[in-house]
Amino acid sequence: MMFKTSIALAAIAAASQVADAHFTFFRIAHNGQWEAPFRYMRNKTSPYEERFSLPGHGFTTRDYNYATVYPDYPESVRCGRDNIKHALDTEVLDVQAGDALEFAHTRDEPSEWTDATFNCSSGYGACYEGQVGMDYNHWGPLIVHLSKVPEGQDIHTYDGSGEWIKIYTLGLVWRPDGASPVDWVLYNGGRIPGSRYSFRIPRQTPGGQYLIRVAFVDTGLKGSPYLTQYAHLYPSCFQLSVQNDGTAGALPKGVKIPEVMSPDSPGMQMSQGMHDSRKVDEGYVYPGGDLWDGEKLVVDKPDLTPVPCEVESGC
Ligand SMILES: *[C@@H]1O[C@H](CO)[C@@H](O)[C@H](O)[C@H]1NC(C)=O
Ligand SMILES: *[C@@H]1O[C@H](CO)[C@@H](O)[C@H](O)[C@H]1NC(C)=O
Ligand SMILES: [Cu+2]
């Protein structure tokens, strides 16, 4: 497999800030319809001085699409660099509990975007023809959390320091007869994802203002030197107002960000064998805490029922 060793990953990272090496989420779909790029999303500031100098990279200045890591500013790990500065200007999307959502990402930096970046029939919310990358190029899951704006605060100033509840994970499929038994759905063998995904805000979500955070967790490598123990995180947050017309339940206890993203937290690192897609680590659970199914919190671990490797998917 290309770029499977930590050394190769480090080399790529060191060669960076090369455009297109990384990516950003930038767009939300509500009940299947894409909203305008950036609408309802807290923007990020770019370039931006982080407080942590990535070892081996030798820089604290990060471009828009560059990853954030646990030792960066908590604000960066929560919702993207300097997001609170942009919160006042960000609109709030009205949704009903139970509505379907989806997010789009691109590997092009905003400075490279044109109308054509988003004007195609791909259905993915961005185009993947030409130079615009819609592959993920990283190994790990996508996770989505909600954080209810605390009593007495407003969505336009809330910093995300309250509790976060995970409502969706898109992780791996176990294909023991394939060349890469750990088949990350979004990595998809280095291609664009095989299909769109969507998930629902639980019907039981109480009405109110929420931040919704989507993040890809480019999972860290256990026992590795300093550089790669930190998962590379790609978070973006959108501002929501949730209506609930009678099916509201009670929110469970959530987790804190960045605490739940520390290298020692469940799901934030994997072994070399799992990194190489050969095995799933004993006791592996997805990062970001337990998953709320609307009624209870469940341990969020992969379904290890073997799925046959279909030739057409090239697995
Ligand atoms: C968000 O930030 C990027 C990078 O600074 C900028 O190009 C873009 O225009 C901003 N979007 C909005 C809606 O402000
Ligand atoms: C997309 O293309 C259509 C048809 O050519 C055009 O009407 C529309 O304005 C374009 N939208 C954007 C965002 O470029
Ligand atoms: Cu990357």
Side-chain angles (χ1 to χ4, degrees), residues 9 15 50 60 68 122 146 151 160 204 206 249 286 294 297 304 309 311:
L9 282 174
E50 274 296 354
T60 53
T68 176
S122 78
L146 284 177
E151 217 49 56
Q204 297 88 338
Y286 291 121
L297 286 174
L304 295 182
C309 178
V311 175

Side-chain angles (χ1 to χ4, degrees), residues 9 12-13 21-23 65-67 136-138 218 232 234:
L9 282 174
I12 291 168
H22 306 286
F23 60 86
N65 287 3
Y66 203 83
Y136 277 85
N137 194 42
H138 294 80
D218 175 16
H232 284 198
Y234 297 89

Side-chain angles (χ1 to χ4, degrees), residues 169-250:
T169 301
L170 185 54
L172 63 89
V173 175
W174 178 236
R175 299 186 192 275
D177 66 340
S180 296
V182 176
D183 186 3
W184 295 102
V185 174
L186 292 181
Y187 178 66
N188 195 30
R191 299 178 295 264
I192 64 160
S195 62
R196 289 177 63 173
Y197 62 89
S198 85
F199 62 93
R200 291 186 181 278
I201 299 177
R203 273 187 309 106
Q204 297 88 338
T205 306
Q209 293 184 321
Y210 290 82
L211 283 175
I212 187 165
R213 174 187 188 268
V214 55
F216 189 95
V217 180
D218 175 16
T219 311
L221 186 60
K222 216 174 265 176
S224 77
Y226 202 37
L227 173 64
T228 52
Q229 69 169 312
Y230 294 117
H232 284 198
L233 303 168
Y234 297 89
S236 289
C237 291
F238 295 76
Q239 300 189 155
L240 296 186
S241 174
V242 177
Q243 309 293 319
N244 193 312
D245 46 18
T247 55

